[in-house]
Structure formats: structure tokens, C-alpha cells
Amino acid sequence: MPELLDLCPPDEAWRIFREHFDPQVAAERLPVREALGRVLAEDLSAPHDLPTFPRCAMDGYAVRAADTYGASPGLPAYLDVVGEVLMGEAPTLEIGLGQCALVHTGCMLPSGADAVVMVEVTQPVDERSIEVLKPVAEGENVIQVGEDVRRGDAVLPAGHRLRPQDLGGLLALGITAVSVARRPRVAILSQGDELVEPEQEPRPGQVRDINSATLAALVEQAGGIPLRRGIVGDDLEALRQAAEAALTQADVLVMSAGSSVSARDMTAQVINGLGQPGVLVHGVSVRPGKPTILAVCDGKPVFGLPGNPVSAVNAFRLFVTPAIHLLQGGQPSPPRAVPARLARNVASATGRQDHVPVRLEERDGETWAVPIFGKSNLIYTLIRADGELIVPLDSGGMAEGEMVTVFLY
Amino acid sequence: MPELLDLCPPDEAWRIFREHFDPQVAAERLPVREALGRVLAEDLSAPHDLPTFPRCAMDGYAVRAADTYGASPGLPAYLDVVGEVLMGEAPTLEIGLGQCALVHTGCMLPSGADAVVMVEVTQPVDERSIEVLKPVAEGENVIQVGEDVRRGDAVLPAGHRLRPQDLGGLLALGITAVSVARRPRVAILSQGDELVEPEQEPRPGQVRDINSATLAALVEQAGGIPLRRGIVGDDLEALRQAAEAALTQADVLVMSAGSSVSARDMTAQVINGLGQPGVLVHGVSVRPGKPTILAVCDGKPVFGLPGNPVSAVNAFRLFVTPAIHLLQGGQPSPPRAVPARLARNVASATGRQDHVPVRLEERDGETWAVPIFGKSNLIYTLIRADGELIVPLDSGGMAEGEMVTVFLY
């Protein structure tokens, strides 16, 4: 019973999956203060101008600009100080010809004035008057009504992932709650007769289940909520029941299959029973991660990842992370990547996309990518690595000294 | 009373701050499953070999390699199948000369065997024997005891930020709880007579406080716990009391000062009263963010950020984020950065480090960085931007068409 997978290139696998997966974004309303990193589910526009009143952008004097024209240190303009505008108050005073008022950065520009002279270019004459040593133009050092945002302006679109400054910008407009995509619930099921919980002491022949924790962490990183559904043995009926129950409660189901071919075949069989159309792709030309299953069951994405933890991580990043992003209606952040010089030759088979873990080393002011040796099923190859480089499908490898892009973990 | 700040270059400001700040990492113990993104506060080594038993890396037959030497399709090696090794069980059978056992990927190699022949290069003869069509070398398709990690090996050092695969690697070794740096508590205080809570309708002259929320989000991004301490007016005694109370409960205090010079002077005065040595730097040659205060008060970092939200964000990223990382004993993740071609000239004053918000645009397959126009105190310049470029201290600007690095927000 050799494994006869009809391997599909990763791009093609994703295309087939996308043809059958029509992501529905479910929204929930959240206080803006709690919405960092969440994806907007509505287009937002400004309910009013910002600022709502003309604001002084400098400490100094609010003036009529025309009163300062031609002013110089040799021939200053003399202005009467008619008062002070306090922070947070609407000034009652009015600036007339030849008059000015003391103002502070951020306060309201009094009516009659159309510019602010910086305090640095003034000199006090007495308690009631100043000299202005330099002219200001109309509007200078003033933030006009609506200069930041105009009422009705589009401010942030649906699909935008909220950053710190976005929270501030929304609150500035009095938008204190927003509709964001609900975090997709991703059920994780580990399959394998050899698996025990990490807290248990494995007997000879047993190993601790680490995929549950690793994949749950990847779900969190992608913005989802992991639902850990534990370990199921390589038993068709038990697996079917566990998978059905998990999928009912979740938006996505991720099964990390047993390690052997027969266990993986069982996974495919169970997935096909979960809904239509079922398994779409079984086997992807990527290393590690070849025996990956992509499926859609009655509208929900279901993934059968390899039992080997390194393969499971790689296949998750390639397919599950983007699916979780789609369910949020947003684009993923671009990966952190750095250029580096390859420290050794990396061989690869044409027709296969290879993900090679590398360590970064600084040598003489240059960054080198050092491939990590070890079989692709050793989890510590990923732990000793800072990131990975990708050898494309059509490449036979990369040469020592070549510049490569390292995608940081 | 013009503002006479003795401006300090940002690198020099940080050096002075670091001379007086000796970060103490406080640790707490956490389940590994809850430690994603946290920074290790201990060096970890392997309590045992991984794997603990020799594992089969393929589906096939466990054999003595010597029995297969010289095997070919024309002259296969005949082996007796003495049984099957089940997943998760310690095999009781023993492989003798001319014998083999059916094995599955991930199961334990039975004693007597020293290699695994892939099922693809075998043919069944009858129920009790197979033909091997290709020789295997000793150790082939077997993961040896300790091949992933050896007992006693250093696995992860203190200061390492835990990634998804790290959780898996620790759990694989039965390490289910770890000592990690406590998340630093960062108190945030907004100062200004003009400020009201975002939920309130500002009267003319008032504005909504947005720094509290924006800076809290930046604290979270840096791995800290924000303690929102609300708004205080420009009143020396009230500010002193609020700052003292906040600092008592926190590891770091961030005050976003009032907008005016006099309000900022008040901030400096209050900070100097919080402990020794007090204000270290008042004024940094960076734009936006010039009137930034760096202080250490009885061992705790205290920052006086400008009231202007754009300046506050920039100064926070330059100084507060690294301080929060230091308190976790770890290195920050490298910033996400992309190369782009500059779409317009950017002017800058020599002797000042300029942070210019830019929008990224794809044009003919190339990424262009389009500077966002607008005064540096308009929060929407940051919201309309995808990232920023930095014009260094000694540069007079950058030219249209030049390749620049854009640091993504």
C-alpha cells in the first residue's frame, strides 16, 4: 500500500481551495479601546470635522496677520494684548485691529484672529503690549477646522486591521465602538495512537502530543480563537465523532493526522464524511508538508495536516493562516523578512517548493543565512532557526553566497 | 518664556537614559501553553533525549541493513515478516537474521533492527515474507535516540521570545511550565486642561483625549500591561499626586504632557519630584517628538511625551517601547520593513532625525513610498500612512526616485 498522492503545487492547491471556499465574515461590536489588532467589518467615515474649532499650533499670540506685514526687528509691529485664551475654554474675547491675545499650543483661536505669532519672534513692551519682530501669513500656526479630517471623509475601510494610531483617530471623532470581524474559532484535533498529553510521562513507543499546542499558538497569531479538542486514537469511528463534534462548534477544523499512511487515509475518509464537497486536495508538492489535505465541508474549511510537527507547522502557515485571515475579511500583515547571504548550498528537487530553516549570523557586518541540518521531522530544526528561506517550485536549489530572503518566524 | 530646549540627538538621549536605568527583570511561572510571545527568564536545557527511543521515519519494514546489501529488482533480498509494530507500543518482537517487521511512521524500531526499508521498494511474496528491491544503509529511515535533542543540551536561552514551535519543543521534552518575564506594568497619564474622555462630547475649546488609548495600545504591542490613569488638568499639585500614585503601582510611568510650554514645564517639575536622578534628557532632536522627557526616578523609567498625539506615538516608539523590552530581558522583534522608491523629495533639517509617514503604492510592479502631506500634529497623517521612513540626523533630505526603507506601522 504505497502512498500514491497526486501532488498539487501549493498555488494550485490554494486556488482549488478558494474556488470552493466562500468566506463569510461574522461581525461583532467592540469598544474601540479593546479593538487593537482586530479587523474592521464596516467602512467608517467622519461624523464631524476634526478639529471642530481652529486650534493654535504654537505658544504665542493670536493676531490678525495683516497687522504683522512688514514687521522686522528694526521695525517691529506693536500690538495690544487684550487677554489670554485658556486651554479648554471657548474664548469670549475678540481680536480687533492692532490687537492680540496670549495663546497656548492646542487652545482655540479667538475670533477676529487669523494667525498665531510664535512667542520666540515677539518681545514684551509692557504688561499690555508686545512687539512682533517677523510677519506671519494668514493661517500660519493655526490648524483649521477640518484640516485633520473633514466631516463625511472616509477614515478607515472594512478589512483594515486596527493599529494603535487608528484607535486614537477613531476616538478623536467620538467613535468609541466599532464593528469588527469576530475572531474565527479554529478547532484542533490531534490524531494518533502513539500520542499522550504533554503532562503525561510517555511509555516506550509513545510520544507527547505537541501539535495541539503549536497549532493553537499559530491560530492565535493569525487572529483566531483556538479550540483544543485533544487527542483521538487511530480509530475511524472515534475520529469521526470527534471531528463532527469539533466542527459543529468551530468555523474551521484542523486535524493533525496520524503519522502513518493508513492513519492519514483514515483522516481523509473522515473529512469526506463531514460535508460537501469534502477533500479537494490530498498531497501538495511542498517540503515539509507533502501529505496535506485541503477540504471544504458544507462551507467550512477543514485541514488534514501531517502528523510530523515540522510539516504541520509549515502546512499551517501556507494554508490555514490565510484561511483564518479570509474569515476576518482582512489582509495578513506582510511577513517579517530580511535579506541575507546564503552560507551553504541548498539542494532541492525541481517541482517541489522547499522551506529550509536557517539561522541568521552576523559576519563582518553582513547577515548570513545558515541552513539548519537535520531531518525535516525534527522539531528542534525549527527551534534552532530564526526563520526560513523558500526554494521555489521551479528551482533546483540555491548556491552558497547567493542573496536570499529569510522569512522570520 | 520661549522654550529653550538643549536638544539631544536620539542615540545620545538613549545612551544617557541607559546609563541611569538598570532594568530588573521580574519573573513569573506560567504554563507553556499560555506563554506564547513571552520572554524566557531562565535558560532551559533538555531533561532527556528526544526521541527517547529509536523511531521509524517511514512506513515499511524494520530490517537488519546487512540483510539488504546487494539487493536489486533482479536479485531481491527475501525476508521473513515476523510481526507488526503497533503505534504507541513497545514491540516485544526481536528482528533476527533474515527477518523483518511491518512498521509505521513514528513507531518504535524493534530491537535487532537497525534500518527501515520503505514500503515502496518492497514486494509481498506471501503473508509471511517480502522481497526487498533496494539495499538500505544502517540507520536509514530511523530517527536515533537524541537525534532531535540530547539530554542536557541547551534548548532555549533566557531572553528568548517564545514562538509557536518553541512551545511544541518544550512540551515534547515534558517541560510544561516555564519562568518568563512578568509583563511590565506601564501607567499612562494624560495631562491637559483641554482634554475630555473620548466618550464625552467636547465643548468648544475642548478635545478628546486620544493619547491614553493610543499609548495603551503601544504598551500592549511592546508586551506590557497598560494601566490607564485617566486625565489630569494642568494643575501642579493634582499632577504630582496623580503621578506619584501611578508610579507606585507601575514599573514605568508615561505622562503625555499638556500641549503648551508651561504645561510641559510642569510635567518636568513633577517628574523631578518623583525620585532620583529625575529628568535626564529634556528635548530630543527628532521630529515629531522634540519636547520629549527621559527620566529615571528611583530606578523606574518615567517618560514625559509631547501632548501632540503624533509626536507622542513617535517618541513612544523611539524610547518607551525599547524600555519595555529591556524590562522583559529580551530583544524586540525586528521591525517589519519594506524597500520602496520615494515618490517625492523629502526635505529635512540637518541635525534632526525626521520620521515621515508614507503610503505605499504599487506602480508597474514596483513599490513606491508616497509621503503624506499635512502638519506633523494631525493624527490622520499616521492613519493614512502604511509606515514611515526615517531621515537620519546628518541628512538634509531624500530625493525623489531614491530607494528607501519603509518601516511598517
Side-chain angles (χ1 to χ4, degrees), chain A residues 57-86:
Chain A
M58 289 286 172
D59 291 309
Y61 295 89
V63 300
R64 295 176 176 231
D67 282 347
T68 70
Y69 292 165
S72 70
L75 195 67
Y78 287 84
L79 296 178
D80 291 332
V81 182
V82 296
E84 175 180 0
V85 181
L86 297 178

Side-chain angles (χ1 to χ4, degrees), chain B residues 385-399:
Chain B
D386 297 306
E388 65 178 20
L389 59 89
I390 300 177
V391 187
L393 218 56
D394 56 4
S395 162
M398 288 172 165

Side-chain angles (χ1 to χ4, degrees), chain B residues 39 59 64 81 94 150 152 155 173 201 207-208 221 223 232 243 247 249 263 270 299 329 351 354-355 370 373 378 388:
Chain B
V39 179
D59 291 308
R64 293 179 176 226
V81 182
E94 168 107 21
R150 291 202 171 283
V155 293
L173 291 167
E201 197 61 44
V207 294
R208 296 187 176 95
Q221 277 194 339
V232 191
L247 190 55
Q249 296 185 4
V270 166
D354 266 29
H355 294 246
V370 184
F373 287 113
L378 303 180
E388 65 178 20

Side-chain angles (χ1 to χ4, degrees), chain B residues 312-385:
Chain B
V313 166
N314 200 39
F316 188 103
R317 288 206 172 105
L318 277 172
F319 301 116
V320 189
T321 297
I324 296 174
H325 284 298
L326 282 173
L327 281 167
Q328 295 168 82
Q331 294 299 312
S333 307
R336 290 178 206 271
V338 293
R341 199 172 286 286
L342 190 57
R344 287 175 205 274
N345 291 336
V346 169
S348 170
T350 307
R352 190 181 70 195
Q353 177 174 308
D354 266 29
H355 294 246
V356 180
V358 298
R359 203 178 56 239
L360 294 177
E361 274 182 21
E362 295 298 320
R363 297 185 196 162
D364 305 326
E366 208 177 17
T367 306
W368 288 76
V370 184
I372 308 275
F373 287 113
K375 299 186 175 111
S376 74
N377 43 13
L378 303 180
I379 181 74
Y380 274 83
T381 57
L382 289 190
I383 292 165
R384 295 185 187 109

Side-chain angles (χ1 to χ4, degrees), chain B residues 42 50 128 133 212 259 278 375:
Chain B
E42 58 178 342
L50 189 71
R128 305 282 305 162
L133 311 176
S212 287
S259 306
K375 299 186 175 111

Side-chain angles (χ1 to χ4, degrees), chain B residues 16 20 264-265 267-283 292-297 302 304:
Chain B
I16 295 170
H20 294 84
R264 288 204 297 259
D265 286 345
T267 316
Q269 202 182 331
V270 166
I271 291 176
N272 270 328
L274 290 174
Q276 290 305 318
V279 173
L280 300 166
V281 173
H282 190 175
T292 295
I293 297 172
L294 307 189
V296 172
C297 300
V302 176

